[in-house]
Amino acid sequence: MQNSAISTRNSILVLAAIFIGISISLLDWRGLALWLGLATVIIFSVRSEYGILLGIALTALSRFLIIGINLQLADMAFLLFGPFWLIQRLYQARPISLKLEPAVAFLILGAATALCSFFVTSSFGVSLGNYVQLFYLVALTAILVVMFDDKKFLLAAMWIFVLAAGGISIYGVLGFFTGGARVIGTFDNPNVYSSYVIAIIPMAWALTKRIRQRTVKALIYILMAFMTMGLLLSLSRKGWIALALQIFFLAMCSKKRKLYIGVLIALLALTVILWPFLSTLLPEQIIDRALGFTSDSSTVTSRVKLFQISFDLIRAHPIFGVGLEMFSWYAPINSHSTWIGLWTEIGTVGVLPFIAALGIVSVGFLFWSFGRKEPDYIINALAASFFGLFFISQFGNIIFFRHFWIVLAMSIAALKQSGRGLRREEGVFPSQRAGHKQA
């Protein structure tokens, strides 16, 4: 009976979270007022990890999961939710780690340095709002790292991502077959959509490893199929390559890597052999887009030209850059590379801390994915999401895509949890061995 009551209460909390998130998305400031009122009551009254779901389920996530990538009132609500959440944990006398992770420290340093560079590069056309938004994204990441340190909170966020990405993909695929040119989901650009599902597909795979119910597993597999189909129909070639790299990475992390690598090679060989037949089944847009790598050199030429412009600007403004979001003043389009573009716009002193943070996360993932005998599906999935987004960032500007920062926060928190688990093992196992010796 007690378990049933807890399940009922948790279900009500989830529904309340969804209702509040939708109200914020549709009503803006009225939804914000509703959120603040109800969240204040529930956060202090609910002593359960699922109470945390109120703050994350389609509240701050609602805007950048469902529509657009601009700063909205829902984001401000999340910044206010962070302190409420911390107070709740302290009020319940539950352990909470406020230690500043090295990767987060570098992110904050990079954002602060970039903000300072505004006053050096300040000129007509440079918007302080861009710097503030970058600083906000780093603040969002720092808060989420603390929150995601609770594993149930992390899993709840992964579920929300998967369900939202699945719904968006179903909507996008249906739109494509009713006359759409490329799948964009609810976003304004197919490249934003492709980077979004690249981040979520590995998370869906990880959830299938944790779930035993066949119906729930089947639901996730269906959503994954729509995400993969949506990615294919988005005609994003860097998204296609990123997915292939993610599959290869997850195969390499598996204990049965030889078997999985063999299967992948066999599938690749079959694809090559059956290509004439497969090309008749695939939509013509996909064939043309895939063959565009060899038949159309304009894409490569334009990228090379953008990189040349970037390095010319870096040589001319090496320390503080030309100003955030100012690259388009020197070229017809954006830099089409997140980190080269950021180097151009905020200079060497601004970009180095961000690169250091990404390097710390990358090394951590490589250690936990290949340095441990038993695979951790959550770690491997987040590593695949992180590396997939990092690959896409080399060929597109994703610095203001909020799902990138959320995945980064998830990654840092998951690595933190793994490190804490390793220290706990090192502290327990020696004493156990000593006890056995005495016996």
Side-chain angles (χ1 to χ4, degrees), residues 188-393:
D188 59 355
N189 188 293
N191 293 321
V192 181
Y193 168 78
S194 66
S195 69
Y196 179 71
V197 293
I198 279 296
I200 312 304
I201 289 174
M203 296 185 196
W205 168 82
L207 291 180
T208 63
K209 296 295 183 178
R210 295 180 58 87
I211 295 171
R212 295 182 179 180
Q213 296 91 334
R214 293 182 179 179
T215 53
V216 180
K217 267 192 176 183
L219 171 63
I220 297 178
Y221 281 127
I222 292 171
L223 296 180
M224 286 178 65
F226 273 100
M227 283 186 253
T228 305
M229 192 183 307
L231 177 64
L232 187 65
L233 297 176
S234 71
L235 306 184
S236 173
R237 292 175 292 198
K238 54 181 173 284
W240 299 345
I241 298 175
L243 180 61
L245 293 175
Q246 287 178 327
I247 295 172
F248 180 77
F249 175 83
L250 292 174
M252 289 295 295
C253 294
S254 173
K255 294 173 66 175
K256 300 178 180 179
R257 63 173 63 92
K258 291 183 178 179
L259 172 63
Y260 290 143
I261 295 299
V263 171
L264 290 177
I265 293 174
L267 289 175
L268 180 61
L270 281 174
T271 302
V272 173
I273 295 172
L274 299 176
W275 179 250
F277 172 72
L278 293 175
S279 62
T280 62
L281 300 177
L282 292 173
E284 186 177 348
Q285 301 99 312
I286 295 178
I287 303 299
D288 293 341
R289 189 71 173 171
L291 296 178
F293 277 118
T294 55
S295 61
D296 184 9
S297 61
S298 61
T299 300
V300 176
T301 303
S302 63
R303 295 295 192 278
V304 172
K305 187 174 181 179
L306 289 173
F307 292 161
Q308 289 175 343
I309 295 173
S310 297
F311 289 119
D312 288 341
L313 292 173
I314 289 170
R315 283 191 289 268
H317 307 272
I319 300 177
F320 295 106
V322 298
L324 192 59
E325 294 291 277
M326 284 295 292
F327 184 86
S328 58
W329 279 48
Y330 303 90
I333 54 178
N334 66 52
S335 61
H336 272 64
S337 175
T338 299
W339 308 112
I340 294 178
L342 202 61
W343 188 7
T344 305
E345 294 177 346
I346 64 176
T348 304
V349 296
V351 77
L352 280 180
F354 288 102
I355 298 301
L358 297 178
I360 291 173
V361 176
S362 299
V363 171
F365 273 139
L366 292 175
F367 170 77
W368 285 105
S369 296
F370 297 105
R372 306 287 288 174
K373 293 182 179 179
E374 293 298 324
D376 186 324
Y377 296 118
I378 298 297
I379 286 288
N380 292 346
L382 290 175
S385 297
F386 173 80
F387 288 130
L389 284 175
F390 185 77
F391 173 82
I392 285 179
S393 72

Side-chain angles (χ1 to χ4, degrees), residues 6-328:
I6 292 175
S7 299
T8 302
R9 183 187 64 180
N10 292 339
S11 300
I12 293 173
L13 285 172
V14 172
L15 293 175
I18 294 173
F19 171 74
I20 292 170
I22 292 174
S23 69
I24 289 176
S25 293
L26 298 179
L27 303 177
D28 284 331
W29 67 268
R30 287 168 289 182
L32 174 61
L34 174 63
W35 181 88
L36 289 175
L38 292 180
T40 304
V41 174
I42 297 179
I43 284 176
F44 283 102
S45 61
V46 177
R47 301 195 175 197
S48 165
E49 284 78 4
Y50 285 91
I52 300 170
L53 191 61
L54 174 67
I56 194 172
L58 302 179
T59 300
L61 298 181
S62 62
R63 279 291 178 181
F64 56 78
L65 285 181
I66 308 301
I67 48 178
I69 57 173
N70 297 320
L71 194 63
Q72 302 287 345
L73 287 175
D75 304 314
M76 299 301 180
F78 185 78
L79 287 179
L80 293 174
F81 170 74
F84 276 118
W85 183 84
L86 296 176
I87 293 172
Q88 179 210 26
R89 293 294 295 269
L90 296 174
Y91 171 74
Q92 296 176 357
R94 295 165 61 195
I96 183 170
S97 175
L98 296 176
K99 180 182 177 182
L100 192 64
E101 292 298 304
V104 176
F106 276 115
L107 290 176
I108 294 174
L109 176 62
T113 305
L115 190 59
C116 292
S117 72
F118 166 78
F119 301 100
V120 178
T121 60
S122 181
S123 61
F124 177 76
V126 178
S127 172
L128 178 61
N130 294 324
Y131 292 87
V132 172
Q133 187 170 353
L134 179 61
F135 199 90
Y136 155 75
L137 291 169
V138 172
L140 168 74
T141 305
I143 293 174
L144 281 175
V145 168
V146 180
M147 295 181 176
F148 288 145
D149 195 33
D150 186 322
K151 195 165 186 178
K152 290 187 178 181
F153 191 96
L154 177 63
L155 290 172
M158 291 175 65
W159 267 105
I160 293 166
F161 262 134
V162 170
L163 293 175
I168 290 171
S169 298
I170 292 172
Y171 171 80
V173 170
L174 293 177
F176 177 86
F177 286 110
T178 56
R182 298 173 68 176
V183 170
I184 62 174
T186 54
F187 299 100
D188 59 355
N189 188 293
N191 293 321
V192 181
Y193 168 78
S194 66
S195 69
Y196 179 71
V197 293
I198 279 296
I200 312 304
I201 289 174
M203 296 185 196
W205 168 82
L207 291 180
T208 63
K209 296 295 183 178
R210 295 180 58 87
I211 295 171
R212 295 182 179 180
Q213 296 91 334
R214 293 182 179 179
T215 53
V216 180
K217 267 192 176 183
L219 171 63
I220 297 178
Y221 281 127
I222 292 171
L223 296 180
M224 286 178 65
F226 273 100
M227 283 186 253
T228 305
M229 192 183 307
L231 177 64
L232 187 65
L233 297 176
S234 71
L235 306 184
S236 173
R237 292 175 292 198
K238 54 181 173 284
W240 299 345
I241 298 175
L243 180 61
L245 293 175
Q246 287 178 327
I247 295 172
F248 180 77
F249 175 83
L250 292 174
M252 289 295 295
C253 294
S254 173
K255 294 173 66 175
K256 300 178 180 179
R257 63 173 63 92
K258 291 183 178 179
L259 172 63
Y260 290 143
I261 295 299
V263 171
L264 290 177
I265 293 174
L267 289 175
L268 180 61
L270 281 174
T271 302
V272 173
I273 295 172
L274 299 176
W275 179 250
F277 172 72
L278 293 175
S279 62
T280 62
L281 300 177
L282 292 173
E284 186 177 348
Q285 301 99 312
I286 295 178
I287 303 299
D288 293 341
R289 189 71 173 171
L291 296 178
F293 277 118
T294 55
S295 61
D296 184 9
S297 61
S298 61
T299 300
V300 176
T301 303
S302 63
R303 295 295 192 278
V304 172
K305 187 174 181 179
L306 289 173
F307 292 161
Q308 289 175 343
I309 295 173
S310 297
F311 289 119
D312 288 341
L313 292 173
I314 289 170
R315 283 191 289 268
H317 307 272
I319 300 177
F320 295 106
V322 298
L324 192 59
E325 294 291 277
M326 284 295 292
F327 184 86
S328 58

